[in-house]
Amino acid sequence: MSGETILVAAGGTGGHLFPAEALAHALIARGYVVDLATDTRAEKYGQAFPARNIYAIPAATPTGGGAASKAKAIATLGRGVLSCLPLLRRLKPAVVVGFGGYPTVPPLVAASLLNIPSVLHEQNAVMGRANKFLAGRVQKIATGFPLTRADSAILAKCTVTGNPLRPAVLEAAKQPYPSFEGDVLNVLVTGGSQGAKVFSDIVPAAIEALTPEERAHIRLVQQARGEDRERVLAVYKRIGFSAEVEPFFKDLPARIGAAHLLIARSGASTVAEVAAIGRPAILVPFPFALDADQAANAAELARTGAVDVIDQKVFTVEKLTELLRSALADPQNLTKRAEAAKSAGILDAAGRLADIVAGLVR
């Protein structure tokens, strides 16, 4: 119904906010008004979020640490619920949509207490802990991948929609796979919204291990944490290799579109964007996740043959050097893998999720 308010709740990282942003665009196009509830971390991304208003909600993570820290986190979440109750009474949202992360807990709990319909979106192939806690309180659950290790009560609420994609990703998905003009291999290294130290350790050493002739055929763009950037650049300067190295790329979808090969983590948004844009990748799942969600995400795309999934324990300089040499030697194989990735992409996930949300508007 045009003019109704939808409250979107998402943790303040790109992995949660990017699909929330995509849904917001789809809902606004249908005439809804969108507000966002998140945490202070969203300041890095929130400027691009198409919300009427953005509300910072008290939240904390009650996992890890000792009993005192858990108790403090639970108390903070309680304060968040108490702050959300008057907010939701004032906003009167038709539906509340949660995208995971503990900042979504207060708005979704408040919605259930006020009998406001709600939806969860789970980006990963393994449901996160916050979403597990909330699953019994919501009417519908949308998923980016078929869920693994979920019980029957959760699965009964689930619909696989795919992961909603931002307009910039949909635009990049229109780009054909780049030609190998000048026999140059465009390699993009990205470690998620927080960067990945392992790539700063391994990638420069692997580039150095290549012959000068091999390096001459590689154009590299690399994301590196601010504290790692100078040491990464120092290696490239020492070997006379030109590379673009920055902590964050605002135009990352366009850079994925320009790449022949990605080296990346396998967060849900990354996997969805790699598939939608259609690019081969070397995926190194984050090894310390409690639920091994990135490994499960990578396994879904690996079934197509589009990506190499490398456990971080065996992601060595020697292994990456071998994979880069294989890519340089067989660009036709990369083209086939790009087609395989594209076949797994879901471009209309935001619309599918918007349909579920609209179906709950009273």
Side-chain angles (χ1 to χ4, degrees):
M1 187 182 300
S2 181
E4 293 274 12
T5 296
I6 308 296
L7 179 65
V8 174
T13 65
H16 293 129
L17 282 169
F18 290 160
E21 177 191 335
L23 174 67
H25 283 291
L27 291 171
I28 291 167
R30 298 184 186 203
Y32 293 100
V33 175
V34 175
D35 287 330
L36 172 67
T38 184
D39 61 42
T40 55
R41 294 175 300 169
E43 293 174 355
K44 185 175 182 179
Y45 309 97
Q47 294 176 349
F49 202 99
R52 176 182 60 183
N53 294 302
I54 298 176
Y55 301 97
I57 304 300
T61 302
T63 57
S69 64
K70 289 180 181 179
K72 183 178 179 181
I74 291 170
T76 301
L77 290 171
R79 285 194 295 108
V81 173
L82 292 175
S83 71
C84 283
L85 287 169
L87 176 66
L88 267 61
R89 288 191 183 104
R90 178 167 59 83
L91 294 178
K92 295 181 173 60
V95 182
V96 178
V97 188
F99 279 86
Y102 279 95
T104 65
V105 169
L108 270 291
V109 170
S112 71
L113 293 173
L114 297 174
N115 294 315
I116 298 171
S118 55
V119 180
L120 281 180
H121 184 274
E122 174 55 61
Q123 292 97 60
N124 295 293
V126 178
M127 182 168 273
R129 295 179 179 223
N131 277 354
K132 280 183 182 177
F133 172 77
L134 293 166
R137 296 176 176 268
V138 304
Q139 283 67 51
K140 299 286 185 179
I141 301 172
T143 66
F145 305 98
L147 288 183
T148 62
R149 304 199 300 274
D151 63 37
S152 58
I154 289 177
L155 291 175
K157 297 182 179 183
C158 287
T159 301
V160 179
T161 59
N163 282 310
L165 300 166
R166 297 169 288 156
V169 177
L170 296 175
E171 192 62 32
K174 298 175 184 177
Q175 299 181 38
Y177 189 63
S179 64
F180 290 91
E181 186 176 350
D183 293 327
V184 171
L185 177 71
N186 297 329
V187 179
L188 172 65
V189 182
T190 176
S193 59
Q194 306 302 317
K197 179 177 180 294
V198 67
F199 295 149
S200 295
D201 295 338
I202 300 298
V203 175
I207 294 293
E208 185 173 14
L210 297 172
T211 67
E213 292 76 16
E214 290 168 331
R215 290 198 291 268
H217 292 282
I218 292 179
R219 183 183 294 119
L220 181 70
V221 174
Q222 181 171 350
Q223 179 192 16
R225 295 177 179 183
E227 61 266 33
D228 295 331
R229 182 174 180 268
E230 291 307 315
R231 70 181 177 90
V232 169
L233 284 170
V235 175
Y236 295 143
K237 182 178 181 180
R238 187 177 73 246
I239 62 176
F241 179 75
S242 178
E244 184 178 358
V245 182
E246 296 295 343
F248 184 75
F249 295 109
K250 291 183 177 180
D251 59 343
L252 186 62
R255 291 176 182 271
I256 295 174
H260 294 113
L261 177 67
L262 269 75
I263 302 170
R265 288 297 198 198
S266 52
S269 290
T270 298
V271 172
E273 291 171 7
V274 165
I277 298 170
R279 299 296 182 264
I282 298 166
L283 300 180
V284 185
F286 179 66
F288 306 113
L290 294 174
D291 299 314
D293 53 348
Q294 289 203 8
N297 299 341
E300 288 293 321
L301 193 53
R303 292 190 181 99
T304 69
V307 300
D308 294 306
V309 182
I310 311 296
D311 190 289
Q312 186 163 307
K313 293 177 183 176
V314 295
F315 183 66
T316 62
V317 173
E318 293 76 17
K319 182 64 177 177
L320 182 56
T321 303
E322 171 194 332
L323 291 170
L324 289 172
R325 283 191 169 128
S326 294
L328 287 167
D330 193 358
Q332 289 304 313
N333 181 53
L334 291 179
T335 302
K336 291 178 182 177
R337 289 168 59 189
E339 293 170 357
K342 192 80 170 177
S343 71
I346 301 177
L347 298 180
D348 63 343
R352 296 184 190 186
L353 180 54
D355 288 342
I356 292 174
V357 174
L360 289 176
V361 175
R362 292 168 179 164

